Amino acid sequence: MNIVKQHVLRGPNLYSNQPCLLNVIDLQALRDHTSTSIEGFNQQLLELLPSLYDHRCSVGQYGGFVQALNNGANLAHVVEHVTIALQCLAGTPTYLGRTHEVQDAPGQYRVVCSYESEHVAIDACDLAMSLVRGLATGAQGLAQQLEAGVAALRDTAERHAIGTSTGAILRAAIRQGIPYQRLTEDANMFLLGWGAQQKRLQATITGDTSHIAVDIASDKQLTKALLQEAGVPVPEGVSVRTLEQALRAARELEGLVTVKPLDGNHGRGVTTRCGTPDEVQLAFERAREHGRTIIIERYIPGDDYRILVAGERVVAAALRRPAAVIGDGESTVRQLVEQENRNPARGEGHTNILTRIPLDGHAETTLAAQDLNFDSVPEAGLRVVMRGNANLSSGGTAEDVTGKLPPETLDMCVRAARKIGLDVAGIDLVCEDISQVLDGRNGAVIEINAAPGIRMHEYPSAGVPRDAGAAIVESMFGNQDGRIPVIAVTGTNGKTTTTLMIEHTLRQAGITTGCTTSEGVYINGTTVKRGDCSGYWSARTVLSAPEVEFAVLETARGGILKRGLAFDRCDVSVLLNVSEDHIGLEGVETLEDLAAVKGVVLQAASRAVVLNAEDARCCAIGASLDEKVERIYFSCDAQHPALLEHLRDGGRATWLEDGALIASDSDGQRHVLLDAAEMPSTLGGCARHNIANGLAAAAALMASDLGNGAIAAGLRSFVSDARHNPMRANLYDVNGVRVIVDFAHNPAAFGALASTARAMTQGRTVAVVTSPGDRRERDFQQIGQICGSGFDTTVFYEWPAEHRGREAGQRAAMMQSAAHAARGDAGGVLLEADPAQALRLGLSQCRAGDVLVYACGSSVSELVDALRPVDPVSAARIDATLV
């Protein structure tokens, strides 16, 4: 039993809107076994993982999975549930799972599990495979393996966990509809929003936080000087570098002092209430562990408060209390601390609501000041303070006091944050009564912190919780969602051309665009990446580009199946058509399966979907969507029943009528956009498939509120040539023969090319044709039939690199045979294996006025190379158009 394929589906996918892990599992020698055919399997499994009793499975009720086990579950199904159970044990709960057998691959199953952390999910699946394999084969030591494995999973979960403060901000972003993406694996750095609306976030530092302001806040002495200049009360003190200087400063200040590192944080190295030289010396040595320069300042009596400022307003205020335990008259201090640290709310670091109380040198010193040590037994009810500071990071607690701050204190805190230059600031002040105005005698600001923790405000131990995360999000985005408009284009044929039509029109209207296609990634018309870029990562490139104001994303089948969508939702989805292509690959076995994959893109639309009225599958998918999403139809047939019914119901649409592209608005008004023949991509109105693409583009742009004039201007100026839209109906002249170069690779595309070629000439039509080797035999046969009946002459060839597991010459022979059958004779069907020779042979069949279609080549340069030996002038002319 092993995993033969694994895909991390990071966005909405065929199985769920949640991220999922997809594994194709080959049961191999265990393919004929079930949970009941292996003695003791079910009992041992449930003893190892009792939480499996809770799994509802497809039965939909408690114990549903146990019922499936008792009925004899296949082992891949067991792996699914064990993977989910292990993720829950790791502290990353998830519940969705599915298992389906792979068609035509006995013993192989597609196992899908949702996840919270993809790293945990991948490791959990590996552990699940090992445990199930071990149970099936009678392996020993599985309990120990499970214990060690879960510990490792928890460690992985902890390493990749999102901090409490960051998590609060992200949850607030989700509520506001703001998308986010994690930028680092082990640090809390995120990208919120898309394109030109994006903001970066690390913990509570935003992309707007000034680096200089952070440096100032890290320099406590400079901070004090600036605050003093701004009229904010601060404690008197000096910076020192040696113990002698520290002792002298303490004497000069007279009374109690606080000792802390100049650039420390989280209360590290801070000691308060130092009175004797010995106390100052110990505090100095502790502070030196965290920095070379030490601050000695007058101790301010009172309570410790943290004020959170975001967006130039006070968001929350908390009274912070030092870590403490309450004596019971029986337990030692050490035991009391250990008991408190078992509180589920406490943990290591900042991923928990509270932090565990440390038993360290600082705690020892603090206890000594109370005449206690770790082994002392405090009397019942005695509050034993464990730290000299009240930071949550050292075990402290907090009580919300936001409502107690007088207006003068609110103004002072905002003024202090503004003086330092921080957009988000944690202001620490000490006073005896927070409800009184600070005047320098009854309290002071101790320091200002960049990247302040907000868990004390989100989860106070007492008082009203404050939505600090939402306040920080509001300071970053106002009431906006951080999104740019997104149009996603999918379908079997025409995706690239339609995507480029939309992008070109938007760019012509003065909008900065980002675009992905199967040819590359483009930012405002400039190529930034070449190759097939119609999947997840390329879409991310566009959505994360800071200059992009509008994204147009070709969204192909392969990317959806391998990674899911790169966006949680888009504004407009376009479904051009659904016809046979890539059937038999990646679990797509039928046309209905393919339609379901395309449907993932439509389900992501929040505003409108554009549908081909002439394609019943497109209409069916559209009918299944939420009624809140507008449906806009397009059709080359002005009398198509689906279009007419849609218009009667008041729907918007675009269609072809009397050679013109027509659009209807929500009031039913008809608008002539332009004549189809005015669009260069339609080859004088002959390329009906590009008319359809133009109608789809117009509908998507209409849904995006672009004016009719701008739509018409964009379609009129869009040129489908080798520079702007390579291998998509690129037209050349070779001594009077019009040559169409196109990437057609499925039956529907070849049918469209045959119709286009016939419409362009009264002479003969010739095709030079191949197809990728990973298609089904019936696909080759359909292509052969279409070409045999659609062209006067067809030359079939093969690219060596495209055999994809088939024998050389096999696919060309299948297409040739089908073409013969379609024609009813052997005439007009030729075979030439070499691509260049096939092109030359095809051209030799043409005369001036004829049309030759060269389909499924890899680039126009092949045409140039084929022409050079026989017609160097034409080759040079075509070559020049590519420059």
Side-chain angles (χ1 to χ4, degrees):
M1 182 169 67
N2 69 336
I3 297 173
V4 297
K5 187 179 295 184
Q6 185 175 80
H7 294 314
V8 180
L9 306 176
R10 293 184 170 89
N13 54 76
L14 187 59
Y15 310 98
S16 172
N17 283 329
Q18 305 175 49
C20 292
L21 179 68
L22 166 64
N23 293 287
V24 177
I25 296 177
D26 189 344
L27 295 181
Q28 297 174 315
L30 297 171
R31 57 182 282 192
D32 295 325
H33 290 276
T34 68
S35 56
T36 53
S37 68
I38 303 169
E39 185 177 355
F41 183 94
N42 291 350
Q43 179 182 350
Q44 293 179 65
L45 175 64
L46 294 171
E47 287 175 356
L48 278 175
L49 291 166
S51 63
L52 290 174
Y53 282 104
D54 297 331
H55 287 212
R56 304 172 72 86
C57 200
S58 58
V59 176
Q61 62 186 26
Y62 176 83
F65 177 60
V66 174
Q67 182 177 330
L69 283 175
N70 292 333
N71 289 336
N74 72 71
L75 299 188
H77 187 197
V78 177
V79 170
E80 170 206 323
H81 281 270
V82 174
T83 300
I84 292 171
L86 291 172
Q87 290 184 78
C88 294
L89 289 174
T92 57
T94 190
Y95 306 100
L96 182 144
R98 294 183 184 179
T99 298
H100 299 288
E101 190 167 12
V102 176
Q103 187 172 328
D104 298 327
Q108 290 192 9
Y109 292 82
R110 284 187 178 83
V111 177
V112 178
C113 299
S114 59
Y115 66 80
E116 184 177 288
S117 165
E118 67 179 66
H119 303 279
V120 173
I122 291 170
D123 291 349
C125 183
D126 289 342
L127 179 57
M129 290 280 291
S130 180
L131 291 172
V132 173
R133 188 187 301 113
L135 287 169
T137 58
Q140 300 297 310
L142 293 181
Q144 293 81 357
Q145 182 184 355
L146 173 63
E147 182 180 0
V150 170
L153 290 175
R154 287 173 177 161
D155 181 64
T156 299
E158 179 70 25
R159 285 200 319 273
H160 296 282
I162 296 173
T164 307
S165 294
T166 307
I169 298 173
L170 295 179
R171 287 191 296 275
I174 292 171
R175 292 196 298 272
Q176 196 163 316
I178 300 169
Y180 70 82
Q181 173 189 355
R182 194 167 193 165
L183 297 178
T184 53
E185 291 292 334
D186 299 322
N188 288 315
M189 183 180 291
F190 291 83
L191 181 72
L192 276 63
W194 291 334
Q197 301 301 318
Q198 67 182 269
K199 303 279 188 179
R200 288 190 176 93
L201 175 77
Q202 183 168 22
T204 57
I205 292 181
T206 78
D208 296 327
T209 302
S210 162
H211 181 74
I212 291 178
V214 174
D215 281 348
I216 292 172
S218 298
D219 186 331
K220 293 179 173 54
Q221 199 62 20
L222 176 58
T223 296
K224 287 175 60 177
L226 291 175
L227 293 179
Q228 197 167 25
E229 185 177 79
V232 176
V234 294
E236 181 184 357
V238 295
S239 298
V240 300
R241 303 273 289 188
T242 67
L243 176 59
E244 291 73 14
Q245 292 172 346
L247 292 170
R248 183 167 59 252
R251 287 195 302 270
E252 292 173 354
L253 287 171
E254 299 179 345
L256 299 177
V257 297
T258 294
V259 180
K260 58 186 178 182
L262 176 69
D263 53 359
N265 53 37
H266 300 300
R268 297 186 183 97
V270 178
T271 306
T272 61
R273 301 178 61 89
C274 299
T276 68
D278 287 345
E279 290 172 341
V280 172
Q281 179 176 350
L282 182 60
F284 179 85
E285 292 170 353
R286 184 173 293 124
R288 282 296 293 269
E289 296 175 4
H290 302 278
R292 291 185 57 80
T293 302
I294 310 302
I295 292 179
I296 310 296
E297 64 184 19
R298 188 180 304 281
Y299 170 72
I300 305 295
D303 293 320
D304 188 312
Y305 294 89
R306 165 61 65 83
I307 317 298
L308 178 67
V309 174
E312 297 206 342
R313 71 181 181 92
V314 170
V315 172
L319 165 62
R320 299 191 297 179
R321 293 190 174 91
V325 292
I326 306 299
D328 60 8
E330 297 179 0
S331 305
T332 65
V333 171
R334 189 188 307 276
Q335 291 169 333
L336 291 170
V337 169
E338 290 172 350
Q339 180 179 341
E340 175 59 26
N341 283 342
R342 286 194 290 271
N343 180 346
R346 292 191 181 272
E348 299 296 338
H350 300 276
T351 57
N352 293 77
I353 295 173
L354 297 172
T355 303
R356 290 193 178 100
I357 301 171
L359 291 173
D360 56 11
H362 196 150
E364 190 174 19
T365 301
T366 304
L367 288 172
Q370 304 166 79
D371 294 327
L372 297 170
N373 57 50
F374 294 145
D375 297 318
S376 300
V377 178
E379 62 186 61
L382 179 66
R383 185 172 185 268
V384 178
V385 177
M386 300 299 300
R387 312 295 287 183
N389 62 71
N391 294 73
L392 262 69
S393 57
S394 55
T397 60
E399 175 186 347
D400 178 75
V401 294
T402 307
K404 295 182 179 181
L405 272 65
E408 294 84 353
T409 301
L410 296 175
D411 178 72
M412 180 202 70
C413 290
V414 172
R415 189 168 73 253
R418 187 186 300 128
K419 181 69 175 181
I420 302 306
L422 291 171
D423 60 325
V424 178
I427 298 176
D428 292 342
L429 60 85
V430 173
C431 64
E432 294 181 335
D433 186 354
I434 193 66
S435 65
Q436 299 299 311
V437 178
L438 297 184
D439 59 8
R441 295 186 301 274
N442 61 346
V445 171
I446 303 301
E447 63 185 47
I448 294 185
N449 300 273
I454 61 173
R455 55 180 173 158
M456 71 183 76
H457 308 299
E458 294 270 344
Y459 308 103
S461 301
V464 179
R466 304 289 171 171
D467 198 344
I472 292 175
V473 168
E474 182 185 347
S475 75
M476 298 169 69
F477 290 95
N479 61 357
Q480 302 301 308
D481 62 10
R483 295 173 183 264
I484 59 173
V486 176
I487 297 176
V489 181
T490 194
T492 302
N493 292 312
K495 297 185 294 296
T496 298
T497 298
T498 305
T499 298
L500 291 174
M501 284 179 171
I502 296 170
E503 186 276 338
H504 170 82
T505 304
L506 290 167
R507 187 157 39 86
Q508 290 293 103
I511 299 170
T512 301
T513 58
C515 173
T516 65
T517 75
S518 55
E519 294 296 324
V521 177
Y522 310 91
I523 302 297
N524 213 32
T526 300
T527 305
V528 299
K529 189 184 296 185
R530 295 189 183 278
D532 186 349
C533 298
S534 57
Y536 177 92
W537 294 112
S538 299
R540 281 292 183 193
T541 297
V542 166
L543 293 174
S544 62
E547 65 270 45
V548 171
E549 299 171 337
F550 203 123
V552 189
L553 308 174
E554 179 180 341
T555 309
R557 166 208 61 89
I560 298 171
L561 291 172
K562 293 176 182 177
R563 286 287 179 267
L565 298 181
F567 44 86
D568 59 335
R569 70 172 190 260
C570 57
D571 295 86
V572 180
S573 292
V574 179
L575 179 56
L576 296 169
N577 41 62
V578 180
S579 61
E580 293 195 354
D581 196 13
H582 301 288
I583 303 297
L585 302 175
E586 294 286 346
V588 176
E589 305 297 341
T590 66
L591 202 52
E592 287 67 31
D593 291 341
L594 183 61
V597 176
K598 306 295 184 184
V600 173
V601 183
L602 268 67
Q603 291 163 5
S606 62
R607 185 171 183 176
V609 293
V610 174
L611 302 164
N612 185 344
E614 300 175 46
D615 190 314
R617 287 185 175 83
C618 290
C619 297
I621 295 173
S624 69
L625 301 175
D626 192 315
E627 288 297 325
K628 296 178 182 178
V629 178
E630 182 186 10
R631 291 142 180 86
I632 303 177
Y633 280 18
F634 71 93
S635 175
C636 286
D637 180 0
Q639 299 304 313
H640 195 280
L643 174 70
L644 295 176
E645 181 181 359
H646 182 69
L647 290 172
R648 283 195 298 270
D649 291 341
R652 291 198 288 175
T654 59
W655 67 92
L656 179 68
E657 185 172 343
D658 296 330
L661 277 69
I662 310 296
S664 69
D665 57 27
S666 56
D667 296 327
Q669 296 294 316
R670 293 159 47 103
H671 305 276
V672 177
L673 297 177
L674 76 166
D675 287 340
E678 295 180 66
M679 297 170 55
S681 59
T682 68
L683 305 180
C686 296
R688 196 173 178 86
H689 62 287
N690 270 351
I691 297 176
N693 293 336
L695 289 167
L701 291 162
M702 184 170 67
S704 303
D705 297 330
L706 200 68
N708 289 336
I711 294 172
L715 296 178
R716 189 178 289 114
S717 58
F718 175 75
V719 178
S720 185
D721 60 17
R723 275 187 287 179
H724 301 94
N725 191 19
M727 303 297 297
R728 270 78 181 176
N730 303 159
L731 184 63
Y732 301 93
D733 180 273
V734 179
N735 294 327
V737 177
R738 282 179 286 182
V739 178
I740 302 173
V741 180
D742 196 273
F743 188 60
H745 55 279
N746 56 56
F750 283 108
L753 281 177
S755 298
T756 300
R758 178 52 58 201
M760 290 176 63
T761 181
Q762 295 297 315
R764 301 173 69 255
T765 59
V766 177
V768 180
V769 170
T770 190
S771 182
D774 58 359
R775 300 312 195 258
R776 300 169 302 172
E777 289 188 10
R778 61 176 289 182
D779 297 325
F780 296 127
Q781 291 166 355
Q782 287 181 341
I783 291 170
Q785 291 167 1
I786 289 169
C787 292
S789 59
F791 296 98
D792 295 308
T793 300
T794 304
V795 181
F796 293 104
Y797 72 99
E798 288 190 354
W799 279 101
E802 293 294 326
H803 289 323
R804 301 186 185 182
R806 293 190 178 275
E807 294 182 7
Q810 184 182 14
R811 52 201 162 109
M814 282 190 283
M815 290 186 285
Q816 182 190 32
S817 176
H820 282 317
R823 296 176 68 89
D825 59 58
V829 180
L830 306 174
L831 182 64
E832 173 53 65
D834 180 74
Q837 292 298 334
L839 266 170
R840 296 185 188 111
L841 177 59
L843 286 166
S844 73
Q845 305 295 307
C846 297
R847 298 183 296 271
D850 292 348
V851 173
L852 181 143
V853 171
Y854 173 51
C856 205
S858 60
S859 72
V860 180
S861 63
E862 296 144 9
L863 174 61
V864 177
D865 293 340
L867 287 174
R868 277 199 177 101
V870 295
D871 188 3
V873 175
S874 294
R877 185 170 64 248
I878 294 173
D879 207 7
T881 66
L882 306 180
V883 178

